Amino acid sequence: MILDKIIDNKKIQLEAEMKQLTIEGWKQRLKRPGMHAVRDFFGAIKKEGQISIIAEVKKASPSKGIIKESFEPVEIAKEYCSSGVQAISVLTEKNFFMGDDDYLVRIRQTIPTPLLRKDFIIDLWQVYQARCLGADAILLIAAVLDDERLKKFQVVAGILGMQCLVEVHDREELERAIESGASIIGINNRNLKTFEVDLKTTESLMNYIPHDRAVVSESGIRTREDMRYLKELGVDAVLIGETFMRADSISEKINELRVV
């Protein structure tokens, strides 16, 4: 399964990176004067009566290959920001999504919109790293984390001022996410084993989520009808990457999908 390959690769990458800088090294960086304040990701996306947009800066994916040939991450983020999206997701995974940590750093320096660091976080080291890179929130994937790490990473992220989007794919993972105390729950409509996408995945899980949590529907959102459908379900936000990356005009596509 591709997810297993990504995680195996991530372990090798982290082994090398952690030799260059320890968690204590990240902690010392956080004490430096001028460290950026954290923005409220939860507050940005959970708006009564509104479905928010988390727009993703994404060059490629394992299933689709290169999605956007002409890829300027800061310019894309600027267009997202000027189009009024509520938050931006920045892919930093290098080998399968062609992301980079530097994208997050540069975007953070340029725009005021809350930022989600989207990567495969499997070690506490990455939580501290994300804070230093400029993340306001981080993605935690329930499928790759045991209960102990799922809870611990959220606690530490909270201490650092960040919030966590805990991603689930089925009822079992959802129950684990709720038990872990997740305040933002992402429902991935993509089956990570078959890569099939079905928005009904969001519908099947919505009724089991407490109303005080923020619910984000991820993957497969392409049309205004998709947005209306998800809004009627009570979804708080959508995370959209490929649809925007393939659009001739990002701003026009955002306006097309925006549901009042």
Side-chain angles (χ1 to χ4, degrees):
M1 190 169 72
I2 187 63
L3 183 59
D4 294 329
K5 292 181 180 178
I6 293 172
I7 297 304
D8 288 343
N9 187 274
K10 180 61 66 175
K11 289 176 180 177
I12 295 170
Q13 177 189 330
L14 285 176
E15 186 177 353
E17 291 182 352
M18 291 165 71
K19 289 178 181 177
Q20 303 298 317
L21 186 69
T22 64
I23 282 183
E24 287 303 318
W26 288 123
K27 289 180 180 179
Q28 290 303 313
R29 291 192 181 192
L30 285 172
K31 295 177 182 178
R32 292 177 180 176
M35 176 57 64
H36 56 268
V38 180
R39 301 151 179 163
D40 182 8
F41 189 87
F42 180 95
I45 66 170
K46 191 169 179 64
K47 308 283 189 182
E48 190 67 33
Q50 173 182 319
I51 185 165
S52 299
I53 294 176
I54 305 168
E56 189 156 84
V57 178
K58 177 180 184 179
K59 182 173 184 177
S61 75
S63 59
K64 301 292 180 66
I66 294 178
I67 296 169
K68 189 169 181 64
E69 290 282 356
S70 179
F71 186 76
E72 296 291 341
V74 175
E75 294 307 310
I76 291 168
K78 285 181 178 178
E79 188 166 3
Y80 282 154
C81 185
S82 64
S83 299
V85 302
Q86 283 68 42
I88 294 175
S89 169
V90 184
L91 261 160
T92 57
E93 198 284 325
K94 296 177 173 63
N95 296 296
F96 295 85
F97 291 86
M98 298 181 71
D100 197 288
D101 294 340
D102 188 55
Y103 296 164
L104 181 58
V105 174
R106 290 163 55 203
I107 290 171
R108 174 71 200 209
Q109 293 169 345
T110 308
I111 65 165
T113 310
L115 302 178
L116 169 72
R117 187 212 186 171
K118 194 173 182 187
D119 209 315
F120 295 81
I121 293 179
I122 57 174
D123 193 281
L124 191 60
W125 186 91
Q126 293 167 281
V127 178
Y128 286 93
Q129 179 198 35
R131 175 69 175 88
C132 290
L133 292 175
D136 302 297
I138 56 174
L139 174 72
L140 298 178
I141 303 174
V144 302
L145 296 172
D146 56 30
D147 290 344
E148 181 181 357
R149 284 184 296 166
L150 190 59
K151 292 177 182 178
K152 185 174 184 179
F153 291 2
Q154 290 181 78
V155 169
V156 174
I159 292 171
L160 297 178
M162 295 185 297
Q163 294 158 332
C164 299
L165 190 162
V166 179
E167 181 179 288
V168 304
H169 308 84
D170 56 34
R171 179 75 183 278
E172 180 184 357
E173 291 176 4
L174 174 58
E175 290 176 353
R176 291 180 55 227
I178 293 171
E179 176 64 25
S180 76
S183 60
I184 308 172
I185 296 175
I187 301 173
N188 195 337
N189 299 305
R190 187 184 305 279
N191 185 311
L192 294 182
K193 295 180 181 178
T194 65
F195 278 94
E196 293 178 356
V197 178
D198 187 354
L199 295 185
K200 294 288 185 182
T201 303
T202 294
E203 181 176 1
S204 69
L205 296 179
M206 276 296 298
N207 290 336
Y208 302 105
I209 303 176
H211 293 295
D212 62 339
R213 317 298 168 97
V215 181
V216 180
S217 185
E218 310 170 33
S219 300
I221 300 133
R222 299 183 178 88
T223 67
R224 192 174 178 85
E225 288 69 34
D226 292 340
M227 294 287 283
R228 286 200 184 101
Y229 166 67
L230 293 170
K231 184 181 180 183
E232 288 173 2
L233 291 178
V235 168
D236 295 296
V238 291
L239 194 154
I240 302 175
E242 183 179 341
T243 296
F244 292 150
M245 293 295 90
R246 292 192 185 281
D248 292 331
S249 168
I250 289 174
S251 58
E252 288 181 9
K253 192 65 178 179
I254 290 172
N255 288 331
E256 177 190 326
L257 295 188
R258 187 173 278 118
V259 177
V260 179

